[in-house]
Amino acid sequence: MLSRTILRFTVIMMMAFISLCSGFSQASDQRLKLSEQEQAFLASLDVIKVCTDPDWLPYEAIDQDGRYIGIMSDFHQYWSELLGTPIQLQPSDDWQHALTLMQNKQCDVLSSAQDTPSRRSYLAFTKPFIFYPFAVATQPDNTFIINLRQVTDKHFVMVEGYAGVDIVQNAYPDISLATVNSAAEGLKQVETGHVFGYIDTVPSINYQTLKHGISHIKINGILEQRYAMSVGIRSDLPLLLSIYNKAIAVTTEETRQQILNNWLSLSFHQNVDLTWLWRMLIVITVVVALFFYRYLLVNQHNRELQRVNKKLEQLSQRDHLTGMHNRYYLDQAFQQELTRHKRYQHGFTIVMLDIDLFKQINDSYGHVVGDDVIKQIAGLLREHVRDQDVVARWGGEEFLILNPETALDGAHTLAEHLRRLIRRTSFTVDKIDVTVSFGVTDYRAGEDIETMIQRADSALYQAKQSGRDKTVVF
């Protein structure tokens, strides 16, 4: 028995070594140190049975061929090679079915899970290893949500059985929150106006909107609450919990980043194999508001971890389609301007703009042409604003320009210049005539940024209502 255990442990270490050399960047001195009891337990397993959410990409899913895919699939495959024990997918119909399989002990591991009191009777949880902020998707014409307490009179939906439901309800007990069977169902209810907003993580929202062609929504707020990604282990398998925690602990930051980059940092090409299009379209959008929290490893990795985190932070401030700043970067820029105003009483203005009749462009020419129009307008904006101005994609077909130390007349002049420039521009496909409407306002002492943005949004709405291709100053 002892010789078998030693042989098993040798195989485990060889598999880990092969894994490190053939696909993942792992420190050479990292070793999975298992106790004799843990080694014996692994030796008794032929496979580790895994249950997963069949439709929660880019995190995890079961594809049409019955294969386990997604971010968590790559993590579990890596840990499987590290342990020298194969994983076996236990098919599930939906998330609720996966939880039922775990309760019935038909699975050993729940691929990803958040620790909630209702699950502790049948699940134990590893230490979290990735954190994702929750986001709110609404129709495009709604104002930016800074805190859900400002919209407690609205109706929201989340996917039934997700731990995020408990997290959001505990943080906002007065919120009107219902559940749906899938992310696609929730997003379509938002698009059709049956509910105000859908709450999930940024990568999931972006993937589902692209996959199901849901265009009339945008991410309109980021919550303070986060989804802490852990692995759920059957509560009657404490040795397996200990083994997974050790495997997670020796997973380096480089490995985590490589797995995330496989799913979150892909380039988009027009002439692409359509079978992989759903992966390509997730791209850098999902990096919006995705803040990667590193774990402290041994001291010699700290410098490398800081470099990795800095790179991820830079990525999170860029829009995937245009490469320009996004609203998360704008949040920081607004705070800087508020600080400057309080200290030096310097004023600032914002210009909000929206492509006129953009849905008709998408409907007539297709989303690829619509994306080209957005990218071309983004290029014009970058080229024709000052270096100190901050121009960002606000969401969908909307952009916002922050003008430091600029009065209303200066912002109005800029908006009119851009409006005429865009109207004269010959766009790339079929010489589409494109116009843009503008709303302009300035900061008023003592107000918050949300009020200022609402004022600019109101001016933009007036420009639209009065015939489009106009600039309105509030």
Side-chain angles (χ1 to χ4, degrees), residues 26 75 78-79 82 246-253 255-256 297:
Q26 181 87 331
F75 272 112
Y78 173 69
W79 294 327
L82 195 63
K246 289 182 178 180
I248 289 170
V250 300
T251 305
T252 65
E253 200 70 23
T255 298
R256 299 170 201 262
L297 301 176

Side-chain angles (χ1 to χ4, degrees), residues 30 48 99 104 112 123 196 205 294 365 377 383 431:
Q30 287 287 0
I48 297 174
L99 294 177
N104 294 337
S112 64
L123 280 180
F196 178 77
I205 291 173
R294 65 182 177 88
Y365 300 97
I377 288 179
E383 184 179 352
K431 296 183 178 179

Side-chain angles (χ1 to χ4, degrees), residues 59-225:
Y59 304 119
E60 57 189 15
I62 302 173
D63 70 10
Q64 59 186 4
D65 297 320
R67 295 175 300 186
Y68 179 29
I69 60 174
I71 291 172
M72 291 306 303
S73 170
D74 285 359
F75 272 112
H76 281 283
Q77 186 58 46
Y78 173 69
W79 294 327
S80 169
E81 294 173 359
L82 195 63
L83 300 177
T85 305
I87 59 172
Q88 177 180 297
L89 177 66
Q90 185 74 13
S92 53
D93 299 329
D94 53 34
W95 177 241
Q96 284 294 113
H97 186 206
L99 294 177
T100 301
L101 291 173
M102 288 300 304
Q103 289 174 297
N104 294 337
K105 299 183 179 181
Q106 294 174 260
C107 300
D108 304 315
V109 170
L110 186 61
S111 172
S112 64
Q114 169 94 23
D115 186 359
T116 61
S118 62
R119 297 174 179 172
R120 292 172 188 165
S121 61
Y122 62 96
L123 280 180
F125 301 89
T126 66
K127 295 179 180 178
F129 54 96
I130 307 175
F131 295 85
Y132 298 101
F134 286 107
V136 182
T138 72
Q139 291 191 352
D141 52 350
N142 291 309
T143 57
F144 187 68
I145 299 170
I146 297 176
N147 190 303
L148 283 185
R149 293 184 180 87
Q150 73 191 71
V151 285
T152 53
D153 59 324
K154 306 295 185 183
H155 299 291
F156 297 85
V157 292
M158 296 182 72
V159 175
E160 183 178 3
Y162 281 8
V165 176
D166 293 337
I167 295 172
V168 172
Q169 285 182 327
N170 290 336
Y172 306 98
D174 296 330
I175 191 174
S176 173
L177 182 63
T179 57
V180 291
N181 293 323
S182 67
E185 180 184 345
L187 289 166
K188 287 177 181 177
Q189 286 193 19
V190 174
E191 185 180 40
T192 57
H194 287 89
V195 297
F196 178 77
Y198 171 74
I199 302 173
D200 204 330
T201 61
V202 174
S204 179
I205 291 173
N206 278 281
Y207 171 78
Q208 295 293 338
T209 55
L210 292 168
K211 176 183 177 182
H212 299 287
I214 303 171
S215 59
H216 193 59
I217 68 161
K218 68 178 180 181
I219 293 177
N220 217 14
I222 299 297
L223 307 185
E224 296 177 1
Q225 291 69 37

Side-chain angles (χ1 to χ4, degrees), residues 11 15 18 98 114 133 162 164 171 181 211 213 216 223 237 246 249 271-272 286 301 309 349 353 361 408 427 434 448:
V11 172
M15 290 295 290
I18 292 170
Q114 169 94 23
Y162 281 8
N181 293 323
K211 176 183 177 182
H216 193 59
L223 307 185
L237 300 176
K246 289 182 178 180
N271 298 323
V272 67
V286 296
H301 295 130
N309 280 347
T349 54
L353 55 143
I361 296 175
L408 268 178
F427 284 80
V434 177
D448 54 28

Side-chain angles (χ1 to χ4, degrees), residues 2-56:
L2 179 59
S3 62
R4 182 183 174 187
T5 300
I6 294 173
L7 177 61
R8 181 70 171 179
F9 181 69
T10 303
V11 172
I12 291 170
M13 298 311 297
M14 288 179 64
M15 290 295 290
F17 179 75
I18 292 170
S19 172
L20 303 185
C21 296
S22 62
F24 295 95
S25 174
Q26 181 87 331
S28 60
D29 61 346
Q30 287 287 0
R31 292 293 183 270
L32 187 62
K33 298 178 181 179
L34 301 181
S35 68
E36 290 186 5
Q37 192 177 13
E38 290 167 340
Q39 295 170 38
F41 175 78
L42 273 183
S44 69
L45 296 179
D46 294 326
V47 294
I48 297 174
K49 295 182 179 179
V50 177
C51 279
T52 186
D53 189 328
D55 186 21
W56 196 36

